[in-house]
């Protein structure tokens, strides 16, 4: 699902907007940061060439339609700091899986991720009419777990030793939030 025109969602610290072709280089640089690779991907940690991301973007804009939603995350001054989105949208059961990453060490720990995730979850519940949002997070990524809990996600399960990273097997948590829980936390009716 691509947003057209100037559609964006603004929070207290960040803005979510459609991903644009001109964002690809900046986003690829962020995705290739060591900390992002270690904390985000289950594949063998390796750099992804810019051409691969450009090809992916072309495919995304042509083929995904309503099956995948992604946003560029930028600060309120317009600096690109990350990306977030959905995958595995289950329209019948009103459930989707989300992902998010914030690049550059100086942008982490400032609440940008929590603000962006809250905007994303709000969009999913209000605009996509989902009932459940879930995510997977590596157990060693304590900063992310804390950020997700700020938004209202709870750990509901553990995939024990599901990720091999840095010479050992690590747990992967599944966290979720329901629409009624999100609404209650935001004071909505």
């Amino acid at each position: 699902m691509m947003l057209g025109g100037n559609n964006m969602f603004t929070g207290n610290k960040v803005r979510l907007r459609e991903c644009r072709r001109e964002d690809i280089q900046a986003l690829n640089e962020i995705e290739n940061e060591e900390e992002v690779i270690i904390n985000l991907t289950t594949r063998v940690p390796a750099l992804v060439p810019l051409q691969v991301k450009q090809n992916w973007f072309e495919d995304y804009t042509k083929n995904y339609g309503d099956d995948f939603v992604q946003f560029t995350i930028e600060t309120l001054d317009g600096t690109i700091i990350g990306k977030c989105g959905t995958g595995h949208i289950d329209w019948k059961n009103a459930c989707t899986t989300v992902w998010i990453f914030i690049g550059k060490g100086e942008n982490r720990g400032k609440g940008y991720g929590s603000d962006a995730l809250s905007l994303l979850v709000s969009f999913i519940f209000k605009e996509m009419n989902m009932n459940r949002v879930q995510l997977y997070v590596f157990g060693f990524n304590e900063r992310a777990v804390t950020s997700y809990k700020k938004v209202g996600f709870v750990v509901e399960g553990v995939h024990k030793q599901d990720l091999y990273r840095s010479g050992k097997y690590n747990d992967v948590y599944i966290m979720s939030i329901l629409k009624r829980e999100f609404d209650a936390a935001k004071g909505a009716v």
Side-chain angles (χ1 to χ4, degrees):
M1 178 180 293
M2 297 277 297
L3 296 175
N6 292 322
N7 290 335
M8 55 181 76
F9 304 95
T10 304
N12 296 320
K13 298 181 178 206
V14 300
R15 225 178 348 250
L16 302 186
R17 63 165 176 76
E18 66 191 1
C19 288
R20 302 177 189 139
R21 186 172 282 103
E22 60 266 21
D23 298 342
I24 301 304
Q25 183 166 348
L27 290 170
N28 191 61
E29 289 173 12
I30 293 169
E31 285 185 74
N32 279 330
E33 292 176 13
E34 182 178 5
E35 188 169 347
V36 172
I37 292 170
I38 288 170
N39 287 311
L40 189 67
T41 184
T42 57
R43 63 180 164 76
V44 174
L47 300 178
V48 176
L50 179 58
Q51 186 62 49
V52 170
K53 287 297 180 180
Q54 290 169 332
N55 292 344
W56 179 90
F57 184 79
E58 295 305 319
D59 185 50
Y60 166 72
T61 57
K62 290 177 188 170
N63 298 318
Y64 283 99
D66 289 344
D67 293 328
F68 187 73
V69 179
Q70 67 172 346
F71 294 102
T72 295
I73 304 168
E74 61 183 19
T75 60
L76 297 179
D77 69 4
T79 303
I80 294 173
I81 61 169
K83 192 164 77 168
C84 63
T86 67
H88 309 290
I89 299 172
D90 181 343
W91 293 104
K92 178 191 174 292
N93 296 304
C95 177
T96 190
T97 302
V98 296
W99 51 268
I100 183 171
F101 63 84
I102 302 293
K104 299 195 172 87
E106 67 266 17
N107 293 324
R108 296 185 190 109
K110 293 186 174 181
Y112 293 146
S114 298
D115 196 33
L117 185 60
S118 184
L119 288 169
L120 177 63
V121 170
S122 180
F123 169 81
I124 290 167
F125 288 142
K126 291 178 182 175
E127 301 300 327
M128 295 174 65
N129 197 30
M130 294 284 117
N131 181 57
R132 172 187 164 85
V133 176
Q134 63 187 24
L135 58 81
Y136 296 87
V137 60
F138 305 155
F140 57 77
N141 192 351
E142 295 173 14
R143 181 173 46 228
V145 172
T146 299
S147 176
Y148 304 154
K149 286 180 178 179
K150 282 183 194 174
V151 176
F153 283 80
V154 295
V155 175
E156 66 177 25
V158 179
H159 293 246
K160 296 188 292 186
Q161 298 186 4
D162 197 37
L163 174 76
Y164 187 73
R165 181 67 35 90
S166 301
K168 69 177 201 169
Y169 291 96
N170 297 275
D171 293 344
V172 176
Y173 302 145
I174 183 169
M175 300 180 74
S176 70
I177 187 168
L178 299 176
K179 183 180 185 310
R180 65 178 162 77
E181 296 165 342
F182 186 75
D183 288 347
K186 297 293 181 190
V189 178

